[in-house]
Amino acid sequence: QKEVEQDPGPLSVPEGAIVSLNCTYSNSAFQYFMWYRQYSRKGPELLMYTYSSGNKEDGRFTAQVDKSSKYISLFIRDSQPSDSATYLCAIERGSNYKLTFGKGTLLTVNP
Amino acid sequence: DAGITQSPRYKITETGRQVTLMCHQTWSHSYMFWYRQDLGHGLRLIYYSAAADITDKGEVPDGYVVSRSKTENFPLTLESATRSQTSVYFCASSGGLAGGFGTDTQYFGPGTRLTVL
């Protein structure tokens, strides 16, 4: 079983839709949970990170972690065409800064 | 240029040749990383470095060599390139947190697209 599983999509939604992106992980030792956004032919950039369980909100983006079920989510409200990108979840144990990435979900928001 | 840069941006080489990909950051970050990104596999860690002269293997280190004699540079060498090493390579850096516990943002370079014929 891979340490992090992420549905690669692709996911296509109309502008204004609520988008839900998800990952599952297998090792309960992971403590930090991140979402990176990667535009086509660019390097990934950090979007949000959370520590332990709970929700974190930043504008139209909400990151959610459920450690009991080893499930992490990213919600995008009022999605925009500029949100079209690949979204990668990443997790870390918190001791050596090594990240384990999901495969990424390609999102397209259609105007 | 400020930030993190990679060179070359594009490289075509032949099987068996040695290739070096360069990575340079201007933040004096302690941690640096090399990833490869392939369809169906996502980003996978090749090697990482916690400081100058300290390197360690990641998930897929075979066929690669790294060095870090200066904090700002972290070159990745393919000693004898193979077709399976055709990929997009990303370098990243992170400042790390005091005490070595916790996490910090990894900043990625623009990537190098390597094709091995």
Side-chain angles (χ1 to χ4, degrees):
Chain A
Q1 183 185 7
K2 286 258 182 195
E3 285 195 306
V4 183
E5 300 277 4
Q6 182 176 11
D7 185 344
L11 186 60
S12 181
V13 301
E15 184 175 352
I18 297 174
V19 176
S20 172
L21 303 166
N22 310 291
C23 289
T24 59
Y25 63 96
S26 58
N27 191 330
S28 58
F30 290 119
Q31 296 191 53
Y32 292 89
F33 307 92
M34 283 147 276
W35 286 95
Y36 279 78
R37 179 174 60 194
Q38 184 177 20
Y39 291 113
S40 181
R41 294 187 172 262
K42 302 285 187 184
E45 56 179 353
L46 181 67
L47 193 58
M48 297 182 72
Y49 89 86
T50 53
Y51 172 69
S52 194
S53 286
N55 291 359
K56 185 173 184 178
E57 191 172 317
D58 184 1
R60 297 184 294 108
F61 298 88
T62 300
Q64 192 174 78
V65 177
D66 182 349
K67 292 191 77 176
S68 63
S69 53
K70 299 188 182 68
Y71 196 83
I72 62 176
S73 302
L74 178 71
F75 299 96
I76 307 174
R77 290 184 300 280
D78 187 26
S79 56
Q80 302 295 309
S82 58
D83 295 328
S84 297
T86 296
Y87 290 81
L88 302 112
C89 61
I91 54 178
E92 190 210 322
R93 285 185 178 85
S95 59
N96 60 10
Y97 307 99
K98 287 169 61 177
L99 298 180
T100 300
F101 282 87
K103 292 181 182 179
T105 300
L106 177 61
L107 171 68
T108 301
V109 180
N110 301 298
Chain B
D1 292 333
I4 183 165
T5 56
Q6 293 183 236
S7 62
R9 294 293 313 278
Y10 302 89
K11 177 74 177 178
I12 299 174
T13 190
E14 294 177 339
T15 302
R17 292 192 178 268
Q18 184 180 80
V19 177
T20 296
L21 310 183
M22 303 302 293
C23 179
H24 175 77
Q25 51 102 356
T26 60
W27 296 302
S28 298
H29 281 168
S30 298
Y31 289 82
M32 295 189 75
F33 309 83
W34 273 108
Y35 296 89
R36 59 178 291 174
Q37 188 172 37
D38 306 284
L39 276 174
H41 290 282
L43 274 167
R44 292 181 291 175
L45 183 65
I46 305 171
Y47 269 97
Y48 73 106
S49 169
D53 297 322
I54 301 175
T55 61
D56 204 353
K57 296 178 181 179
E59 182 184 353
V60 288
D62 293 343
Y64 302 95
V65 174
V66 293
S67 61
R68 195 165 175 208
S69 57
K70 292 185 177 181
T71 299
E72 61 267 29
N73 297 324
F74 191 37
L76 176 74
T77 298
L78 288 67
E79 294 186 296
S80 178
T82 65
R83 290 194 182 88
S84 64
Q85 292 177 309
T86 293
S87 186
V88 182
Y89 290 84
F90 287 101
C91 177
S93 72
S94 172
L97 293 178
F101 182 80
T103 193
D104 195 15
T105 303
Q106 287 192 19
Y107 297 90
F108 283 79
T112 294
R113 291 184 171 269
L114 175 68
T115 301
V116 182
L117 300 177

